[in-house]
Amino acid sequence: MLKVDPQQPEIEKIQIAANFIKKGGLVAFPTETVYGLGADALNAKAVLALFEAKKRPLDNPPIVHICDAKDVYRLAKEVPPEAEKLMKTFWPGPLTLIFKRSVIVPDVTVAGLDTIAVRMPRHNVALALIKESNCPISAPSANLAGKPSPTMAKHVLEDLDGRIDAVLDAGPTAIGVESTVLDLTVDPPQVLRPGGTPYEVLKKTLGRVELNPIVTAEKPLPVDRARSPGVKHKHYAPDADVVVVEGELSSVVNKVNELSEFYLRRGSKVGILCTDETVRHHRADVVKSLGSRSNLAGVAKNLFRLLREFDLEKVDVVIAEGVPTQGLGLAVMNRLRKASGYKIVKAD
Ligand code: TXA
Ligand code: MG
């Protein structure tokens, strides 16, 4: 565990980490979204070890991280004009772009697909690590497959201690949900995963952009409709069962309490995940607030940490209040619904 300054990372520590990457090792590092688990994207053996450490299914490729927009032209077969506009506007930042891949990319890095996911993170530690390693870095979120993504270095160790070479610890991440994944190989471009760059903002820049049905799905979609390989696997789930309650706020509060009473009477240890506006109205063993509903960026930042905290408190069931799907709220609701395995209760 290497503690490092988030603004001006100490070069000696970055070099220690980069030496692991160069030798085919695995290093967890902070980005502005969540912590990633990095390996040399051009070293097939290293990337395979990455899948093994995470226990990640081999058909779900990680994102390739770069520190210089020019690197896209080595990794992608073609870079459409709208990509250049997006790169100028949003990189470094929480936007992942899907391109046709070039021949230098090993098959395992893209899970055998003919496309590649690339992003330039907005974090000095991540950028320094990529630069010092002198290679693009494949980095999925640094959690065991299926668990909530890590927003702190200690979350990485909860899942991966003993399975990786090092963690660069630069404190909690700023955004707290992963990057938005945008597919540029289809027309119009499609959001495959909502994330740190809101849909509304992409729409302003691009004009034409669609949400893949999986983004707003309220039940699992057939796999062939899921263009993003990751969507067919279980995700973001704490050990506890999760139920999401959606609808008009006062009905939601009543429904959450009704469910809480039901589970308490069954002898379950019950957690409620709610917001500042409602926290005083809930009754359960553990009640946690994501922050104010009027600050959905704050809600996103707290989401994965609180889901992990319910596990530490050995809660059996988490009843989560839905939030509006504007801005970062779309990413929050997408993660909550998936964490629940689509156990969604409508409160109206
Ligand atoms: O913010 C983030 O994106 C974080 C940090 C570490 O950068 N990374 C992250 O990586 O969330 P990961 O591997 O957990 O999620 C990558 C997502 C998955 O949903 C995967 O299916 C999708 O990107 N993806 C990767 N390559 C793809 C491709 N060629 N086509 C479509 N989707 C792809
Ligand atoms: Mg992930």
Side-chain angles (χ1 to χ4, degrees):
M1 166 88 91
L2 296 158
K3 286 224 188 270
V4 55
D5 186 298
Q7 275 3 299
Q8 290 164 299
E10 299 82 350
I11 188 67
E12 326 78 71
K13 295 182 182 168
I14 297 295
Q15 276 163 349
I16 295 172
N19 281 333
F20 283 120
I21 298 279
K22 286 181 193 166
K23 283 188 293 197
L26 305 178
V27 175
F29 62 95
T31 77
E32 78 281 34
T33 57
V34 301
Y35 276 75
L37 179 62
D40 179 349
L42 302 180
N43 177 340
K45 260 174 106 176
V47 177
L48 197 58
L50 183 64
F51 279 96
E52 276 164 12
K54 266 190 68 110
K55 303 187 182 168
R56 174 157 167 142
L58 278 167
D59 62 355
N60 186 15
I63 293 165
V64 177
H65 294 66
I66 57 177
C67 64
D68 183 337
K70 282 204 284 294
D71 294 336
V72 163
Y73 300 88
R74 294 203 300 141
L75 300 167
K77 195 163 89 183
E78 54 209 52
V79 180
E82 72 257 32
E84 293 185 332
K85 187 170 175 192
L86 291 165
M87 284 152 55
K88 273 200 199 95
T89 313
F90 296 106
W91 282 5
L95 179 65
T96 294
L97 301 176
I98 309 289
F99 299 97
K100 292 272 176 213
R101 63 129 148 174
S102 78
V103 290
I104 70 159
V105 182
D107 279 340
V108 60
T109 299
V110 291
L113 298 177
D114 62 354
T115 53
I116 184 166
V118 186
R119 89 173 186 102
M120 184 158 107
R122 189 171 64 223
H123 197 296
N124 286 350
V125 174
L127 294 171
L129 177 66
I130 301 164
K131 183 151 187 269
E132 210 50 45
S133 304
N134 200 24
C135 60
I137 292 187
S138 282
S141 48
N143 50 284
L144 281 175
K147 292 284 147 202
S149 295
T151 59
M152 302 170 78
K154 71 168 185 186
H155 300 159
V156 177
L157 292 184
E158 280 168 18
D159 279 17
L160 298 175
D161 196 10
R163 306 176 69 83
I164 61 178
D165 293 299
V167 189
L168 288 164
D169 177 3
T173 58
I175 295 177
V177 289
E178 303 88 340
S179 61
T180 300
V181 177
L182 182 68
D183 189 350
L184 295 174
T185 68
V186 291
D187 187 39
Q190 257 193 21
V191 173
L192 301 182
R193 179 180 73 180
T197 303
Y199 174 61
E200 296 87 337
V201 176
L202 287 177
K203 207 158 184 172
K204 252 191 209 146
T205 305
L206 279 179
R208 291 162 63 251
V209 53
E210 286 177 353
L211 291 176
N212 185 280
I214 197 72
V215 170
T216 49
E218 300 191 1
K219 52 179 190 271
L221 289 187
V223 166
D224 59 324
R225 293 190 61 196
R227 292 186 47 84
S228 191
V231 300
K232 55 180 184 269
H233 303 291
K234 193 175 149 108
H235 251 104
Y236 313 117
D239 297 334
D241 286 330
V242 178
V243 182
V244 190
V245 183
E246 300 180 11
E248 191 263 315
L249 190 56
S250 61
S251 321
V252 167
V253 171
N254 290 335
K255 189 54 132 186
V256 167
N257 281 327
E258 196 184 294
L259 285 169
S260 173
E261 259 161 53
F262 168 80
Y263 285 113
L264 287 168
R265 247 185 280 125
R266 276 196 354 188
S268 299
K269 183 164 181 184
V270 179
I272 292 179
L273 185 61
C274 61
T275 47
D276 287 356
E277 285 79 358
T278 59
V279 68
R280 286 174 301 113
H281 304 295
H282 287 308
R283 297 175 301 276
D285 295 299
V286 186
V287 180
K288 292 181 185 286
S289 172
L290 290 158
S292 170
R293 308 177 73 83
S294 63
N295 175 12
L296 292 171
V299 167
K301 184 171 174 159
N302 291 324
L303 177 67
F304 288 140
R305 176 175 54 84
L306 294 187
L307 286 177
R308 279 179 181 267
E309 283 178 19
F310 281 118
D311 276 349
L312 295 177
E313 303 208 37
K314 302 255 184 295
V315 158
D316 300 306
V317 54
V318 174
I319 307 165
E321 229 173 56
V323 298
T325 53
Q326 303 123 15
L328 286 176
L330 185 63
V332 170
M333 286 311 292
N334 169 269
R335 304 308 188 270
L336 273 179
R337 284 170 168 177
K338 289 177 82 175
S340 76
Y342 298 96
K343 283 194 289 294
I344 302 169
V345 175
K346 298 285 184 187
D348 307 290

